[in-house]
Amino acid sequence: MSGTGKNTTAAATDTVAERPPVFSVDGLWKVFGPKAARVPADPDLTALSPAELRSRTGCTAAVADVSFDVRKGEVFVVMGLSGSGKSTLVRCLTRLIEPTAGSIAIDGEDVRAMDRSRLRELRRHRAAMVFQHFGLLPHRTVLDNVAYGLEVQGMGRAERRERAAAIVAKVGLEGLEQRRPGQLSGGQRQRVGLARALAVDPEVLLFDEPFSALDPLIRRDMQEEVVRLHREEGRTMVFITHDLQEALKLGDRIALMRDGRVVQLGTPEEIVGSPADDYVREFVRDVPREQVLTVRTAMRPAASADEAGTGPAIRPEATVSEAIEAVARAGSPARVMTGGRCLGVVDATDLLSVVAGTADGAAPTAPAAADGAAETALAAGRRAAGEAPAERREPTTPAEPTTEEPV
């Protein structure tokens, strides 16, 4: 993984947290099986494991007591393995699947209380879905597929085709307007699906594992497309995936699901740096920590006025990987600066302690993996700085931070 690709700064997260919620979900359940409504109402049943619940009631809780808010302009990622309940959850948001219990609100309006007319308005204008298998109409051209939602809304032919053409160009399909889906690659078809959702100008885009069927290179291109569109438009997005790297790249916050429940909800840095339990820790075990964690994790107070006033300046939201490069280039500690003020400093020992998982508050990492990660990170920093690789040395316990400049 070459980096998160998304600017998930602490300042940006704070800004998002101050915005009003678009979607508010509280105590949501979706239970499949006979007399499903009894499960959320019975504390004895809600306490059962999935296997015990099936054995006793014949029911399966696909979504179990899930609560979260999605803030305006946020990319909220729901991640989990197959069968974790993530796709059922996103379909419950617009009642494509009817919830069993709990509440859902969009801009404060009760989604579960909506009649058919309000639900149609929600699905046509306020929340648009991008599906895994495209859902394109094979007999229609790219342009007419993109314009389909506008046609359903009752927009005139000339106006909707003009708007569709602009969206086609926005997603990089200009020149392919008259082709049919069968004449497109998988990545191009997914771009058509994305353009069709964007054409109706929804308040929220809902993505249900849209790139999981694509080849790795095309998948990466589509992830970059989502990052670009969000950067340009700031549109609220709910993104479903089973791919951790995709979640870390796209998400402002991530809800990690298991057996219908959210086991941890937090920023990418919180998920990687402070796993809630062994299940999450196993998920993030192979993630290059230096590409996700920021220098806030590593910085310490400046030991002297001289240390606070010299050395390269880096932003608080810079990743540990970026800080390693800065320290390697300068050969001295780096200052973490914001608004002309020094928040703290980081040196090689501080940074490599984070990579190895031995920094204060960091989740422990297996020793062999930690040593290897630290050496890899330091070597990358030296390469970026144009230095020759250092000779391999036996791993040692990281020293306590000092005011001495690193060698």
Side-chain angles (χ1 to χ4, degrees):
M1 187 172 65
S2 59
T4 60
K6 184 175 178 61
N7 184 15
T8 55
T9 70
T13 301
D14 291 343
T15 302
V16 168
E18 294 168 0
R19 299 172 187 168
V22 176
F23 271 113
S24 292
V25 177
D26 185 38
L28 188 67
W29 287 81
K30 177 56 190 178
V31 181
F32 294 98
K35 300 179 181 178
R38 64 183 164 151
V39 174
D42 187 337
D44 291 335
L45 295 180
T46 61
L48 297 177
S49 70
E52 291 170 333
L53 182 64
R54 284 193 299 271
S55 176
R56 184 179 298 186
T57 67
C59 293
T60 298
V63 177
D65 196 23
V66 168
S67 301
F68 60 85
D69 288 338
V70 179
R71 302 282 173 178
K72 184 175 178 63
E74 179 178 24
V75 179
F76 186 88
V77 175
V78 183
M79 191 192 80
L81 300 178
S82 296
S84 62
K86 57 190 185 297
S87 291
T88 301
L89 173 61
V90 74
R91 283 168 165 76
C92 284
L93 296 181
T94 56
R95 285 176 54 194
L96 292 175
I97 293 178
E98 285 288 350
T100 305
S103 66
I104 307 169
I106 182 169
D107 296 325
E109 183 178 1
D110 187 349
V111 174
R112 296 196 66 196
M114 290 180 176
D115 59 19
R116 290 185 178 181
S117 175
R118 291 296 292 162
L119 269 181
R120 279 196 298 270
E121 193 273 339
L122 168 65
R123 295 167 184 168
R124 289 179 181 179
H125 298 277
R126 300 169 72 182
M129 181 83 79
V130 181
F131 294 98
Q132 176 179 346
H133 297 295
F134 320 132
L136 304 181
L137 301 171
H139 60 287
R140 291 196 173 209
T141 64
V142 166
L143 192 66
D144 287 334
N145 263 286
V146 173
Y148 179 71
L150 302 173
E151 181 181 345
V152 171
Q153 290 181 2
M155 185 179 290
R157 175 181 172 85
E159 184 181 358
R160 70 175 181 257
R161 287 174 69 88
E162 181 181 358
R163 183 184 294 187
I167 298 297
V168 166
K170 181 185 282 286
V171 300
L173 292 177
E174 195 169 14
L176 302 179
E177 293 88 345
Q178 300 308 313
R179 291 194 184 182
R180 301 188 188 279
Q183 298 172 302
L184 302 175
S185 68
Q188 289 170 335
R189 289 197 295 272
Q190 192 54 275
R191 286 175 186 267
V192 177
L194 177 58
R196 182 176 59 187
L198 288 170
V200 300
D201 194 25
E203 182 179 3
V204 186
L205 277 174
L206 307 175
F207 295 85
D208 185 16
E209 299 199 69
F211 310 146
S212 61
L214 302 178
D215 293 335
L217 291 180
I218 299 174
R219 181 183 186 124
R220 185 181 64 190
D221 288 344
M222 289 305 302
Q223 291 167 356
E224 294 294 343
E225 186 73 9
V226 169
V227 171
R228 180 184 68 82
L229 288 171
H230 184 259
R231 184 172 57 245
E232 292 177 358
E233 300 187 348
R235 198 181 303 269
T236 307
M237 299 179 179
V238 179
F239 198 99
I240 307 301
T241 183
H242 64 266
D243 185 329
L244 177 61
Q245 292 192 6
E246 186 167 73
L248 295 172
K249 182 173 186 175
L250 299 179
D252 292 310
R253 288 188 300 151
I254 301 169
L256 203 158
M257 294 188 70
R258 181 187 190 188
D259 294 334
R261 298 181 183 273
V262 173
V263 294
Q264 185 167 0
L265 195 162
T267 64
E269 186 171 11
E270 289 167 345
I271 297 287
V272 172
S274 303
D277 58 21
D278 289 342
Y279 181 76
V280 181
R281 190 169 294 109
E282 183 66 18
F283 246 103
V284 303
R285 183 181 62 178
D286 296 326
V287 173
R289 297 165 59 85
E290 71 276 7
Q291 295 177 7
V292 178
L293 303 184
T294 67
V295 292
R296 289 178 181 271
T297 313
M299 73 178 184
R300 55 176 173 79
S304 65
D306 181 64
E307 191 175 45
T310 59
I314 55 177
R315 299 166 293 114
E317 60 269 17
T319 64
V320 168
S321 179
E322 292 168 332
I324 287 173
E325 181 177 342
V327 169
R329 285 183 182 277
S332 65
R335 297 172 296 150
V336 182
M337 304 286 291
T338 183
R341 184 167 61 95
C342 180
L343 302 180
V345 297
V346 289
D347 60 21
T349 299
D350 303 325
L351 295 167
L352 295 184
S353 293
V354 172
V355 176
T358 59
D360 290 344
T365 307
D371 293 336
E375 288 198 12
T376 299
L378 185 55
R382 289 196 178 102
R383 286 196 300 272
E387 298 179 10
E391 293 184 3
R392 181 176 176 86
R393 294 178 294 178
E394 290 302 312
T396 60
T397 303
E400 293 298 318
T402 70
T403 57
E404 298 177 3
E405 293 187 355
V407 177

